[in-house]
Structure formats: C-alpha cells, structure tokens
Amino acid sequence: MVDPTKDPDPNTPGDNVADKYQVTINYVAAENGTVTGTTTKVVTLMDGDKYVAEAAITPGTEGVTITPTAGYKFSNWTNSDPATEFQAKGGETYTYTCLLYTSPSPRDVEE
C-alpha cells in the first residue's frame, strides 16, 4: 500500500511527484513502420524549482527510432513536431504518431 503522504502519485509509486504535475508523451507509428526505443516518457512540469500544473515543454525525439517498412519513408509527425515547444497541462497524455509514405511520394515526383 502506498502512503499518500510520501508518494502523491499512486499510479507511479516511488517518483514522489503527483500526476497533476506530469505529462506522458507517447511516440507511435501509423501503418507501415515501427517506432522503438524511448516510446513513452514522463515529463515533470516545473517553473524554476516548483512543480506547476501547466508549462511550456519541448518533448524532442531523443532515443526514438523510426523504422519504415521496405518501400516507405518518414513523412511527418501528427499534430505537431515533437521538436516544437507547446503548452502542456499536467495529468494529460500527448501522442505523436509517425506517418510514413510510399516511396516515391507525390512530393518526390516533379510535375
């Protein structure tokens, strides 16, 4: 049994940070490829040395590996690029989906 006075986050025992101050970032692949490595990360929202319920973060893709199926290439991430800063709200989960296209794509063919 988790002591709520010592660990305010019973869903992740031992991290001593309440969910309302953290966001979960997921990286997944749409069809025709895989995303491996760090596919889920938890980011603690901070303002200086204080926990906050909302903060600007840039998740990035460090540790994330995209492997397209043969004949496909990486196109883009849905919603926005993980390298772009956004305002995150504690307790939320954000998912970036890697889109892959067949090669050549319409972008690769000159008209």
Side-chain angles (χ1 to χ4, degrees), residues 1 5 10 13 31-32 49 65-66 70 74-75 84-85 92 100-102 104 106-107:
M1 173 107 177
T5 62
E31 297 176 5
N32 305 308
D49 61 349
T65 302
I66 301 165
F74 173 75
S75 176
T84 302
E85 182 178 83
E92 298 289 321
L100 302 151
Y101 65 88
T102 58
R107 291 185 229 174

Side-chain angles (χ1 to χ4, degrees), residues 37-103:
T38 307
T39 58
T40 299
K41 66 169 117 176
V42 175
V43 177
T44 301
L45 304 176
M46 305 284 293
D47 182 8
D49 61 349
K50 294 181 183 181
Y51 296 127
V52 293
E54 189 171 328
I57 65 168
T58 306
T61 56
E62 183 176 340
V64 177
T65 302
I66 301 165
T67 307
T69 302
Y72 287 81
K73 292 183 179 180
F74 173 75
S75 176
N76 60 284
W77 294 99
T78 58
N79 300 327
S80 68
D81 186 327
T84 302
E85 182 178 83
F86 76 97
Q87 198 69 19
K89 294 183 180 182
E92 298 289 321
T93 297
Y94 300 92
T95 300
Y96 292 95
T97 303
C98 167
L99 299 178
L100 302 151
Y101 65 88
T102 58
S103 180

